[in-house]
Amino acid sequence: MTNAAARPAERPQNAPRRLRRHAPWLIALVVAVTLGHLWLTGEVAERLYVEPGEEARRIQRMEAVYVSEMRLTAPPVAAAPPAPPPAPRRAPKPRTKPKVAPAPAEAASAPLDAASAVAQAEAASEAVSEAALAAEAVAPQVAVSAASTPASVAAASAPTSVAVAASTPSQAASAPGFVWPTAARVRFKMTGNYRGPIQGQAAVEWVRQGERYQVHLDAIVGPSFAPIGSWNLSSQGRIAPQGLQPERYENVNRLLIRSGKPKVVQIDGDEVQLPDGSRVPRPPALQDPLSQMIHLAYQFITRPSLVQAGQRIELPIASARKIEVIAYDVLGEEVLDTPIGAVPTVHVRPRRLVEDNNNLSLELWFAPGLQYLPVRMMLRQGDANFMELRMNGAPQMGRPAAVNGAGSVPAP
């Protein structure tokens, strides 16, 4: 009787032990369910911001199949874009038409008289004087034209194949010729600070179909098993002899609880439509925040003198807020320690011509031996917020697959 009566009293005492034993699994389940609900809430919030028909206007992503890894090689060789031919110059007309000395008369049986000889001598002297005046009028014009001919025009008459960063003729001969790749992807490890330390992973992808191109930057903030948000940039347009000509740029932020409205820059002909709906004139050589790094790499390939420290490249950039001109200072060569070994790079730092701490600035490290792909990036906003991306593996090469919907974004 005593044992039977004691058993019911033991059960409540053992219950806390079982609860403590299963507590880690219960906590993990609660966290997973909560994150799942928050992620779905974020997806719903993002969709609430999409206007009717916006999905159809979004960039339809070009997918790619990656088949190999890129290895360090000699920098590529490319022909510089053809320079426009100089306008022909016409020589000024002489002030008076030079007189031509009369042809000598056939030998006569009788000698010329004195008056005829004097007349012929005066005519010949006048013709020589007029010819000298005409030559003096033309010579200064020819000299000015030669002195004012730009160096780019003079270089256009030389062979167009240029070796980039090759110190010897043998290196230039062995360097691969530059061809726009059909697909390339670089993966990055991401660290930084935005209202506190952040970490994650990212990827920059280039895909080309004919003369059409797309560039994408996909970043996941937080650990891969429990991300807290993502950041997706996309640029598309066409390839021209002078570089990239973007036509549309999209910036999409997704957070767990709330997502921002996609920021879109549309470039149509001579006009640019900013995310707030305003339209402004399109300046020459305009780039967007994503296309600029591929366009800069192409400038280094076609204009090897720009690789030298101290050079500066100015580009107008259409951001989510405005169009501004940014000067990129070339700081020189810097060797980075990467997962594939020591990689020589060209360090480029942006400098705003008009100070503005609200916009993002993009500092870049290009690898000439990896077809000038960026292998390190530093994004800054103000003094406290930054995001650093470092290459964490060999770049991948591939080929285009199919055109996919805007909603499917492969994880970096």
Side-chain angles (χ1 to χ4, degrees):
M1 294 292 294
T2 304
N3 293 337
R7 286 175 185 171
E10 293 176 356
R11 291 178 182 175
Q13 297 176 1
N14 294 333
R17 295 180 181 179
R18 290 194 298 270
L19 184 61
R20 287 194 300 268
R21 187 168 61 249
H22 296 292
W25 295 100
L26 292 174
I27 294 174
L29 179 61
V30 171
V31 170
V33 172
T34 303
L35 288 174
H37 280 292
L38 289 175
W39 185 262
L40 290 175
T41 303
E43 290 295 320
V44 172
E46 193 274 335
R47 291 182 180 276
L48 290 177
Y49 278 98
V50 177
E51 299 176 357
E54 178 64 25
E55 287 291 342
R57 294 193 295 270
R58 295 275 293 275
I59 292 176
Q60 304 299 300
R61 187 159 182 151
M62 301 177 187
E63 299 291 354
V65 178
Y66 293 95
V67 296
S68 63
E69 291 186 345
M70 189 182 298
R71 301 300 181 191
L72 282 170
T73 62
V77 175
R89 292 179 178 269
R90 294 183 178 179
K93 295 181 179 180
R95 285 174 293 184
T96 57
K97 186 176 180 181
K99 296 180 181 180
V100 180
E106 295 181 358
S109 55
L112 294 174
D113 56 9
S116 298
V118 171
Q120 289 185 8
E122 291 177 350
S125 176
E126 184 178 358
V128 172
S129 177
E130 293 290 342
L133 290 175
E136 289 178 1
V138 175
Q141 297 294 332
V142 175
V144 170
S145 176
S148 60
T149 302
S152 58
V153 175
S157 62
T160 56
S161 180
V162 179
V164 179
S167 58
T168 64
S170 60
Q171 289 178 344
S174 61
F178 175 75
V179 178
W180 287 100
T182 54
R185 181 170 60 185
V186 186
R187 296 179 183 271
F188 298 89
K189 179 181 178 181
M190 182 175 64
T191 57
N193 182 83
Y194 184 78
R195 299 176 183 175
I198 60 172
Q199 62 177 349
Q201 53 187 324
V204 172
E205 184 179 36
W206 159 274
V207 185
R208 175 179 65 87
Q209 293 180 353
E211 66 173 10
R212 305 292 301 173
Y213 82 86
Q214 287 184 359
V215 186
H216 305 281
L217 190 155
D218 303 310
I220 293 178
V221 182
S224 58
F225 61 87
I228 62 174
S230 65
W231 186 36
N232 306 100
L233 307 180
S234 294
S235 171
Q236 78 171 8
R238 72 180 190 90
I239 302 172
Q242 288 73 27
L244 299 188
Q245 292 187 352
E247 298 171 351
R248 186 179 177 90
Y249 165 75
E250 297 177 354
N251 182 336
V252 181
N253 293 319
R254 294 183 176 91
L255 300 176
L256 284 178
I257 300 177
R258 184 177 182 274
S259 296
K261 181 179 179 180
K263 298 179 177 63
V264 177
V265 176
Q266 186 70 38
I267 304 173
D268 298 319
D270 296 332
E271 281 192 333
V272 180
Q273 180 174 323
L274 298 176
D276 61 0
S278 61
R279 289 185 171 270
V280 294
R282 174 184 183 175
L286 178 68
Q287 299 298 313
D288 59 52
L290 194 55
S291 69
Q292 61 174 318
M293 58 183 176
I294 306 298
H295 184 79
L296 282 171
Y298 182 67
Q299 301 307 307
F300 290 137
I301 293 173
T302 56
R303 300 167 62 189
S305 61
L306 294 177
V307 180
Q308 300 174 2
Q311 295 293 322
R312 187 176 76 171
I313 307 172
E314 292 186 3
L315 282 178
I317 305 296
S319 68
R321 297 173 59 241
K322 61 182 179 180
I323 294 179
E324 61 176 335
V325 177
I326 297 181
Y328 299 87
D329 294 320
V330 180
L331 304 183
E333 181 178 305
E334 185 174 335
V335 178
L336 300 182
D337 185 16
T338 74
I340 64 173
V343 176
T345 66
V346 178
H347 187 187
V348 179
R349 179 177 295 165
R351 176 164 48 86
R352 282 186 163 81
L353 300 185
V354 178
E355 290 298 328
D356 184 352
N357 289 330
N358 292 323
N359 273 3
L360 288 173
S361 64
L362 180 60
E363 192 171 354
L364 294 157
W365 286 258
F366 296 96
L370 297 173
Q371 296 196 22
Y372 280 90
L373 288 173
V375 295
R376 181 185 176 190
M377 295 186 286
M378 179 73 76
L379 294 94
R380 299 183 186 274
Q381 185 178 33
D383 299 328
N385 300 324
F386 70 93
M387 186 182 299
E388 183 180 15
L389 286 75
R390 286 180 173 267
M391 183 179 69
N392 65 356
Q396 297 173 300
M397 303 296 292
R399 61 178 183 272
V403 176
N404 198 5
S408 62
V409 179

